[in-house]
C-alpha cells in the first residue's frame, strides 16, 4: 500500500487503520520482548548429541564466545547467537554466567541486532576506575566493546554498551561507533586495561589484510591507533577474533611473555578454520615476535636458507597452532580473573566454519570447548602454549576406574568389566614407544565404525580419525582425520581425553598439544576398545572417570 493511495481515503478509515496497526505492532512487540522463550525454558538437555559438561545454548544457533569477563563472583560468557533460528544470522549476544566454570545459568539475550546493525564478536571489561563515566552509585560498570556489522552497507565498526546491574541489562552508547576506519571488514575487538601505560588497549582484526591493529584509549570512547601486527604465521585464511595477554612461563617463578591469539577462517592444519598464536612482547604500543617463533618460507629465503630446508616441514608448521583438531575456533580468554586466582582461562567455539551450519543437532547448534587453563612451556623449539582442562571439572568425576598397564587383550577385558560410560567420560592413557605401527583407543565403537584416537609411531604423530564414525553425510567436508606431530618418538605419550556425547578433546603430554573434534555417533555406538599392532602390545596405565552431567 503506497502513501498516495492512503492519502485518498476518508479520515475515519485512516484512523481505524492506524489503530489496527498500533494494536498489531504492540502485540508483536509483546511477543518479541516477553514471548521469546529464554533458552533455559526450552530444552531439557537430554536430546541426542546434547553435551553434558560443555556449554550449549538450550535452543538455536551459537558461534564465537564473546565478552568474556569475570565480575562479582561470576564468569560471564556472551556468545554469537541467532535469536530466530538454528543457522547463522541476526547476530546478537546470548548470555550465560557460571560461578565454578562447570555449571551454567542462562540469562536473557544481552544485545540484540537493531537498526540494521548486527552485534558481532567482541569483549567486555570491568571499568574499575569508571573512566567511561558509565558507572553508577560508586559501582564500576561493565562495558562491552563489539563490532557493529551493518547489514545495509559494507561497513564494520566498533561500538560500546554498558551495564550497571552485573550484566543483566545493557544500554548501547548513543555516541556509537567509537572506532570507524570505513572498512567493510574490521572486527572482533578485544580490550583490556594496560596497567604500565594506565590506559585501555585493544586488539582488532583487519581480516583481509591479515593484520591485527592495536589501539589505546583513556575512556573506552576515544581510540588512537598504536600499531599493526602482520601478516605473519598462517595467512591463507582471513584473520578474526584476536586476543592479547601476558602468560606465565611454567617453572620460571612468575616470569611472563605476551601471547597474541589470531583465529584464521580457513587454512588450518586439519582443514577449515583454526586458532594460531604468536609469542612475544607487548610494550603498550607494539607486539614484537619472540626469536623462537617459526619462520615462513619467504623469511627463510630472505635469510639465505635453502627452500628445500624450509619446505621439509609441512606448510602449517610456519605457524603455531593452539589446537590441531577440526573444531576449535574463535578462542578468547576471560578478562579480569582475580589476581589471587592468577589463571589465564579461555574456551573456544567447538566447530568449524566448513560445516558448522549443518551439524545434525536440534534444537540447538554448536557447543563451546571446556574452559582450559593456559601456560607457556620452554621447549627446544622455543616457548609453546600449554592447555589443560580447568581443575573445577574434577567435581563432575563419578566412578573411578584404574588399569595398571598390560597387554591390549587384558586392557580390553578390563574395559568390559568396568562397563565404562562411553559418552561422558574422562580418561588418561599412557602409551610406550613402539618400533612400528599405531595404537590407541576406539571410541563410540559399533559394527559400523568408531572414532579413533591413536599414536602412529612411524609417522611420529598423534591423531583423531572420525572418518568412519556415525553421522557423516550432512556435509562432504566433515569426515576426516586430524593429527599433530608427536613431541618425541622416543618418549612415552600421555593422552588426556574428554568425551562428551558429540565431542572429543584430546590433550597430549599434560597439554603440550590439543586436538578437539566433533563426532556424531548413532545412539547404539558407545563401545570402547584398545587397539595396537599385536594383541600383546602394552597399554597403560589407564585412569578413567564416568562424568556426571553439569546440566541436571
Ligand atoms: C568468527 C566471526 C567473527 C565475527 C562473527 C560473526 O567466527 O566470523 O569474525 O565477528 O564470527 O558471527
Amino acid at each position: 500500500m503506497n502513501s498516495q493511495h492512503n492519502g485518498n481515503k476518508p479520515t475515519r478509515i485512516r484512523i481505524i487503520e492506524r489503530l489496527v496497526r498500533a494494536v498489531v505492532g504492540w502485540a508483536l512487540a509483546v511477543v518479541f520482548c516477553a514471548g521469546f522463550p529464554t533458552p533455559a525454558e526450552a530444552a531439557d538437555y537430554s536430546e541426542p548429541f546434547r553435551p553434558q559438561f560443555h556449554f550449549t545454548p538450550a535452543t538455536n544457533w551459537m558461534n564465537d564466545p564473546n565478552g568474556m569477563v569475570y565480575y562479582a563472583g561470576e564468569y560471564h560468557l556472551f556468545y554469537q547467537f541467532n535469536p530466530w533460528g538454528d543457522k547463522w544470522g541476526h547476530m546478537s549476544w546470548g548470555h550465560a554466567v557460571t560461578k565454578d566454570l562447570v555449571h551454567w545459568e542462562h540469562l536473557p539475550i544481552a544485545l540484540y541486532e537493531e537498526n540494521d546493525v548486527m552485534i558481532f564478536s567482541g569483549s567486555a571489561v570491568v571499568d574499575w576506575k569508571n573512566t567511561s563515566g558509565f558507572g553508577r552509585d560508586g559501582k564500576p560498570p561493565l562495558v562491552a566493546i563489539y563490532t557493529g556489522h551493518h547489514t545495509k552497507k559494507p561497513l564494520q565498526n566498533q561500538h560500546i554498551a554498558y551495564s550497571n546491574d552485573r550484566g543483566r541489562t545493557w544500554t548501547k552508547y548513543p555516541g556509537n561507533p567509537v572506532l570507524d576506519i570505513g572498512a567493510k571488514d574490521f572486527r572482533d575487538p578485544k580490550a583490556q586495561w594496560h596497567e604500565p601505560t594506565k590506559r585501555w588497549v585493544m586488539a582488532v582484526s583487519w581480516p583481509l589484510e591479515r593484520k591485527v591493529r592495536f589501539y589505546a584509549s583513556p575512556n573506552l570512547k576515544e581510540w588512537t591507533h598504536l600499531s599493526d601486527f602482520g601478516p605473519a604465521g598462517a595467512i591463507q585464511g582471513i584473520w578474526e577474533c584476536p586476543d592479547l595477554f601476558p602468560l606465565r612461563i611454567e617453572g620460571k617463578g612468575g616470569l611472563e611473555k605476551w601471547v597474541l591469539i589470531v583465529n584464521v577462517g580457513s587454512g588450518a592444519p586439519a582443514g577449515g578454520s583454526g586458532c594460531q598464536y604468536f609469542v612475544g612482547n607487548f610494550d603498550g604500543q607494539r607486539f614484537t615476535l619472540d626469536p623462537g617463533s617459526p619462520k615462513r618460507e619467504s623469511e627463510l629465503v630472505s635469510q639465505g636458507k635453502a627452500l628445500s630446508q624450509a619446505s621439509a616441514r609441512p606448510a602449517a608448521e610456519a605457524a603455531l597452532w593452539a589446537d590441531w583438531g577440526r573444531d576449535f575456533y574463535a578462542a578468547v580468554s576471560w578478562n579480569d580473573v582475580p589476581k589471587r586466582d592468577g589463571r589465564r582461562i579461555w574456551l573456544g567455539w567447538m566447530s568449524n566454519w566448513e560445516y558448522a551450519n549443518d551439524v545434525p543437532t536440534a534444537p540447538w547448534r554448536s557447543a563451546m570447548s571446556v574452559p582450559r587453563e593456559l601456560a607457556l612451556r620452554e621447549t627446544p623449539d622455543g616457548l609453546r602454549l600449554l592447555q589443560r582442562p580447568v581443575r573445577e571439572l574434577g567435581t563432575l568425576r563419578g566412578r573411578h576406574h584404574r588399569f595398571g598397564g598390560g597387554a591390549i587383550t587384558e586392557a580390553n577385558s578390563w574395559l568390559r568389566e568396568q562397563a565404562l560410560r562411553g559418552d561422558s567420560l574422562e580418561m588418561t592413557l599412557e602409551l610406550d614407544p613402539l618400533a612400528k605401527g599405531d595404537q590407541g583407543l576406539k571410541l563410540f565403537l559399533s559394527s559400523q565404525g568408531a572414532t579413533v584416537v591413536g599414536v602412529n609411531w612411524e609417522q611420529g604423530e598423534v591423531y583423531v580419525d572420525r572418518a568412519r564414525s556415525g553421522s557423516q553425510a550432512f556435509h562432504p567436508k566433515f569426515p576426516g582425520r586430524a593429527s599433530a606431530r608427536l613431541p618425541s618418538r622416543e618418549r612415552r605419550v600421555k593422552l588426556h581425553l574428554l568425551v562428551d556425547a558429540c565431542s572429543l578433546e584430546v590433550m597430549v603430554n599434560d597439554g603440550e598439544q590439543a586436538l578437539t573434534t566433533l563426532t556424531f555417533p548413532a545412539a547404539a555406538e558407545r563401545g570402547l576398545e584398545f587397539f595396537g599392532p599385536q594383541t600383546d602390545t602394552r597399554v597403560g596405565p589407564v585412569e578413567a572417570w564416568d562424568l556426571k552431567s553439569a546440566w541436571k
Side-chain angles (χ1 to χ4, degrees):
M1 189 188 297
N2 63 35
S3 54
Q4 202 184 345
H5 182 75
N6 222 355
N8 293 336
K9 284 182 183 165
T11 318
R12 204 154 38 97
I13 297 184
R14 284 216 305 269
I15 290 172
I16 292 171
E17 267 185 12
R18 260 189 223 146
L19 264 173
V20 169
R21 249 186 266 142
V23 170
V24 170
W26 175 82
L28 279 177
V30 168
V31 170
F32 187 86
C33 298
F36 186 74
T38 59
E41 290 166 31
D44 66 359
Y45 280 77
S46 48
E47 306 91 338
F49 305 133
R50 176 69 88 170
Q52 294 301 310
F53 58 92
H54 288 83
F55 179 81
T56 48
T59 61
N60 293 25
W61 165 270
M62 172 179 82
N63 57 290
D64 315 352
N66 296 151
M68 293 167 66
V69 65
Y70 178 90
Y71 179 60
E74 294 174 328
Y75 294 87
H76 291 262
L77 168 65
F78 301 86
Y79 49 89
Q80 288 287 281
F81 186 63
N82 181 355
W84 306 109
D86 63 359
K87 296 209 182 236
W88 188 91
H90 299 290
M91 297 326 294
S92 301
W93 274 24
H95 189 195
V97 289
T98 176
K99 291 192 164 79
D100 60 3
L101 294 168
V102 176
H103 300 91
W104 296 91
E105 180 190 345
H106 289 298
L107 292 173
I109 290 170
L111 292 163
Y112 271 101
E113 172 190 32
E114 211 176 9
N115 304 327
D116 306 322
V117 179
M118 288 197 212
I119 317 292
F120 267 24
S121 287
S123 50
V125 297
V126 187
D127 183 8
W128 288 105
K129 298 180 203 291
N130 195 22
T131 61
S132 60
F134 295 142
R136 217 191 279 151
D137 306 327
K139 293 218 180 83
L142 287 182
V143 181
I145 302 102
Y146 61 90
T147 297
H149 171 84
H150 297 256
T151 53
K152 296 255 165 82
K153 52 186 171 190
L155 181 65
Q156 294 183 339
N157 45 28
Q158 315 318 319
H159 296 225
I160 56 177
Y162 60 93
S163 168
N164 299 111
D165 56 2
R166 294 160 51 243
R168 271 41 182 189
T169 59
W170 290 83
T171 307
K172 290 175 182 157
Y173 174 52
N176 282 332
V178 293
L179 176 60
D180 187 355
I181 61 167
K184 176 177 156 290
D185 288 274
F186 177 50
R187 56 180 178 267
D188 310 336
K190 173 76 193 234
Q192 63 185 289
W193 180 254
H194 187 253
E195 186 54 30
T197 53
K198 303 234 175 320
R199 59 187 183 179
W200 299 101
V201 294
M202 166 164 93
V204 190
S205 70
W206 206 4
L208 307 185
E209 317 290 327
R210 277 49 167 183
K211 283 186 184 188
V212 173
R213 312 204 87 192
F214 296 105
Y215 293 84
S217 172
N219 55 11
L220 297 162
K221 294 171 180 164
E222 286 126 31
W223 293 92
T224 318
H225 181 228
L226 296 173
S227 62
D228 291 342
F229 174 81
I235 54 171
Q236 185 189 321
I238 55 167
W239 281 23
E240 300 185 311
C241 300
D243 196 356
L244 173 73
F245 47 81
L247 192 61
R248 192 176 46 81
I249 306 173
E250 199 186 49
K252 291 279 165 184
L255 195 67
E256 293 180 331
K257 276 274 179 171
W258 284 79
V259 175
L260 176 65
I261 302 296
V262 178
N263 289 275
V264 290
S266 58
S273 44
C275 180
Q276 68 171 325
Y277 67 96
F278 300 93
V279 182
N281 186 36
F282 181 71
D283 61 3
Q285 179 89 21
R286 192 172 294 282
F287 179 83
T288 42
L289 273 180
D290 214 46
S293 304
K295 302 267 181 297
R296 298 203 61 76
E297 292 187 3
S298 54
E299 292 171 72
L300 290 172
V301 172
S302 70
Q303 289 170 10
K305 303 221 169 105
L307 238 194
S308 58
Q309 181 190 338
S311 54
R313 301 179 307 180
E317 287 280 286
L320 298 176
W321 296 97
D323 197 298
W324 294 82
R326 302 280 320 265
D327 300 296
F328 188 76
Y329 194 59
V332 281
S333 68
W334 266 285
N335 275 335
D336 256 297
V337 173
K339 282 228 160 47
R340 64 174 184 283
D341 180 310
R343 287 179 293 176
R344 176 62 56 174
I345 308 166
W346 76 349
L347 50 69
W349 174 49
M350 228 171 13
S351 199
N352 189 312
W353 277 118
E354 286 195 329
Y355 44 73
N357 272 285
D358 302 302
V359 297
T361 59
W364 84 100
R365 205 174 250 124
S366 292
M368 296 301 180
S369 74
V370 292
R372 303 174 182 176
E373 179 180 353
L374 300 177
L376 287 169
R377 174 174 288 173
E378 240 169 19
T379 75
D381 294 331
L383 290 166
R384 297 292 182 264
L385 194 66
L386 291 182
Q387 295 182 76
R388 299 189 181 110
V390 291
R391 58 175 175 267
E392 286 87 341
L393 285 166
T395 58
L396 293 178
R397 285 177 176 173
R399 262 192 329 147
H400 178 232
H401 314 258
R402 184 160 202 290
F403 174 67
I408 283 179
T409 39
E410 289 159 17
N412 282 333
S413 345
W414 171 79
L415 274 180
R416 280 191 294 277
E417 278 159 30
Q418 302 296 308
L420 278 165
R421 283 196 45 197
D423 57 354
S424 202
L425 173 72
E426 177 176 2
M427 181 184 278
T428 59
L429 157 66
E430 295 183 41
L431 299 172
D432 288 319
L434 296 180
K436 242 174 162 303
D438 63 341
Q439 63 175 151
L441 178 69
K442 293 180 183 167
L443 296 143
F444 299 115
L445 177 69
S446 72
S447 56
Q448 308 303 311
T451 305
V452 184
V453 188
V455 172
N456 185 312
W457 295 98
E458 280 160 288
Q459 304 292 327
E461 60 172 18
V462 45
Y463 64 88
V464 178
D465 190 344
R466 66 181 178 199
R468 279 165 299 283
S469 184
S471 182
Q472 304 273 341
F474 59 88
H475 199 285
K477 292 217 163 135
F478 184 77
R481 182 178 187 275
S483 65
R485 183 99 65 82
L486 270 182
S488 150
R489 287 188 207 186
E490 278 83 52
R491 208 162 31 113
R492 155 181 277 232
V493 163
K494 186 171 173 191
L495 304 179
H496 186 175
L497 317 184
L498 290 171
V499 185
D500 189 7
C502 66
S503 69
L504 167 63
E505 281 154 287
V506 182
M507 312 278 159
V508 185
N509 293 340
D510 293 318
E512 280 176 5
Q513 275 149 328
L515 293 104
T516 302
T517 307
L518 291 175
T519 184
F520 297 100
E525 299 175 341
R526 293 290 177 268
L528 292 165
E529 190 180 276
F530 293 106
F531 70 94
Q534 264 105 43
T535 49
D536 63 353
T537 302
R538 194 190 145 80
V539 294
V542 183
E543 300 224 42
W545 295 264
D546 294 312
L547 294 183
K548 292 177 264 187
S549 174
W551 293 97
K552 305 260 157 71

